[in-house]
Amino acid sequence: SVSKASRAAHFAARLAFETDCADVHAALAEGVADFVLVEARGPAAYARGHVPGALNLPHREITEARLAGFPPETLFVAYCAGPHCNAADQAALKLARLGRRVKVMPGGILGWLAEGYPLAEGEEPGRPAA
């Protein structure tokens, strides 16, 4: 049997490293985001559709040099296509290994669309809808 404390610790740890589409959308729409949203898929997928306001930082391109413009305390939120894709986890691992604060948005694009939120298209981040 798993103790009450073990169950609570498990879910507290998950929430420390994950966020959901609704919370990300609210923070972006209200202009109070305390994070940098990162689309971890490649440029072609990003151009087809991404969360408005997200930067395209493919997990394969995450290096100390690419992160040099961000203060060390920056919180990154990484996402990808959705639960069937692990690009967000790969990005999070690279960011964590570089000593960066990071969470993942496990729902990714599929979760974003399921919530009824719009996507931006093209090479620019675009603006979140209020």
Side-chain angles (χ1 to χ4, degrees):
S1 168
V2 177
S3 73
K4 177 171 69 173
S6 292
R7 283 190 296 275
H10 168 78
F11 290 107
R14 282 191 62 182
L15 291 173
F17 298 107
E18 294 181 359
T19 188
D20 67 9
C21 298
D23 289 342
V24 169
H25 179 269
L28 292 171
E30 295 165 15
V32 296
D34 61 350
F35 55 84
V36 173
L37 187 60
V38 171
E39 157 78 67
R41 301 177 302 161
Y46 179 85
R48 282 193 304 273
H50 58 271
V51 174
L55 301 179
N56 188 212
L57 185 58
H59 65 88
R60 289 179 178 85
E61 297 177 14
I62 294 175
T63 63
E64 192 67 61
R66 281 292 302 267
L67 301 177
F70 298 98
E73 67 277 4
T74 300
L75 171 63
F76 293 90
V77 173
Y79 75 91
C80 55
H84 62 286
C85 175
N86 72 3
D89 290 331
Q90 291 184 54
L93 177 58
K94 285 190 175 180
L95 288 161
R97 284 182 171 160
L98 290 169
R100 297 307 191 118
R101 297 173 56 222
V102 61
K103 289 186 176 190
V104 294
M105 186 178 80
I109 292 289
L110 291 178
W112 191 262
L113 292 172
E115 293 287 340
Y117 305 137
L119 294 177
E121 295 178 355
E123 297 176 3
E124 295 301 318
R127 298 208 181 279

